[in-house]
């Protein structure tokens, strides 16, 4: 069995739910065959999120770590290619902190690339009928904070572990007026299950274009 740690965030910004956590626990409740999936909720708080992630990694000893976060406005599930070493919060986190131009890890590299086979993960979700794309920005809020922190943890302490970050859209319940894109939780969960299977079985990523012009 491949041990998988799957994280999602608690609600933030006045929301009552966070689709990343809803998807994570749905996948853990009905994981793909051959995968032992543990779902852990992270606080939407700078610093504390990485402390909780480190504790979850120590407890579960995973082979694969996939962290999920909410990206309201995106129409599909987006696999992040890169995380950058900066916290620059447009809104306060759930503890009221709003860092501006602060490094995630002082003295750390400018960025970390995901160690997931990101293009294979996107292709697997599309094959499952789930809208998916590769993203080249994880933002500068707590999602990027966790994505970079995970990359640093893997690079410095967990060389045998692979991991990365994935953004999921809002749920229909969050946008009842239909003014923004959304996907049902089970659709997102279907995509994440396909992503996990691809990540667990693919070591050489696909050589296909998923680039962007802007």
């Amino acid at each position: 069995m491949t041990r998988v740690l799957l994280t999602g965030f608690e609600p933030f910004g006045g929301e009552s739910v966070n689709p990343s956590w809803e998807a994570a626990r749905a996948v853990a409740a009905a994981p793909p065959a051959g995968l032992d999936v543990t779902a852990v909720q992270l606080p939407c708080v700078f610093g504390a999120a990485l402390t909780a992630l480190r504790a979850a990694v120590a407890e579960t000893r995973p082979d694969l770590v996939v962290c999920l976060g909410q990206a309201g406005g995106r129409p599909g599930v987006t696999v992040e290619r890169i995380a950058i070493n900066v916290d620059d919060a447009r809104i306060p986190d759930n503890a009221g902190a709003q860092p501006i131009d602060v490094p995630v890890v002082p003295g750390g590299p400018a960025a970390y690339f995901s160690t997931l086979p990101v293009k294979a993960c996107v292709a697997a979700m599309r094959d499952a009928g789930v809208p998916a794309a590769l993203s080249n920005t994880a933002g500068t809020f707590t999602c990027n904070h966790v994505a970079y922190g995970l990359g640093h943890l893997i690079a410095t302490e967990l060389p045998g572990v692979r991991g990365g970050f994935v953004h999921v859209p809002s749920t229909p319940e969050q946008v009842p007026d239909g003014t923004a894109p959304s996907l049902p939780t089970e659709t997102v969960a279907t995509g994440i299950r396909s992503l996990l299977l691809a990540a667990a079985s693919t070591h050489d990523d696909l050589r296909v274009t998923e680039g962007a012009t802007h």
Side-chain angles (χ1 to χ4, degrees), residues 31-173:
L35 303 185
D36 179 12
V37 180
T38 300
V40 171
Q41 186 182 79
L42 302 181
C44 189
V45 176
F46 290 101
L50 294 184
T51 299
L53 176 62
R54 176 181 286 274
V57 168
E59 181 176 350
T60 61
R61 301 177 62 85
D63 304 300
L64 182 66
V65 182
V66 176
C67 299
L68 307 180
Q70 175 180 344
R74 292 190 185 182
V77 181
T78 47
V79 183
E80 299 299 340
R81 191 199 301 256
I82 194 168
I84 59 175
N85 192 15
V86 65
D87 293 330
D88 191 5
R90 181 178 58 82
I91 61 174
D93 68 11
N94 282 357
Q98 193 172 2
I100 298 174
D101 298 339
V102 175
V104 181
V105 177
Y112 282 111
F113 283 103
S114 173
T115 56
L116 300 177
V118 292
K119 294 182 177 181
C121 288
V122 169
M125 289 192 286
R126 289 175 180 164
D127 288 345
V130 178
L134 186 63
S135 169
N136 294 302
T137 175
T140 56
F141 194 52
T142 51
C143 287
N144 177 78
H145 183 80
V146 164
Y148 185 91
L150 173 62
H152 188 73
L153 185 62
I154 289 173
T156 58
E157 300 181 38
L158 303 169
V161 175
R162 293 191 300 158
F165 198 93
V166 179
H167 269 117
V168 306
S170 301
T171 66
E173 293 76 15

Side-chain angles (χ1 to χ4, degrees), residues 3-28:
R3 296 188 302 275
V4 179
L5 172 62
L6 185 63
T7 74
F9 279 105
E10 66 183 357
F12 72 100
E15 298 279 1
S16 60
V17 298
N18 190 312
S20 67
W21 174 240
E22 299 305 313
R25 66 179 183 175
V27 172

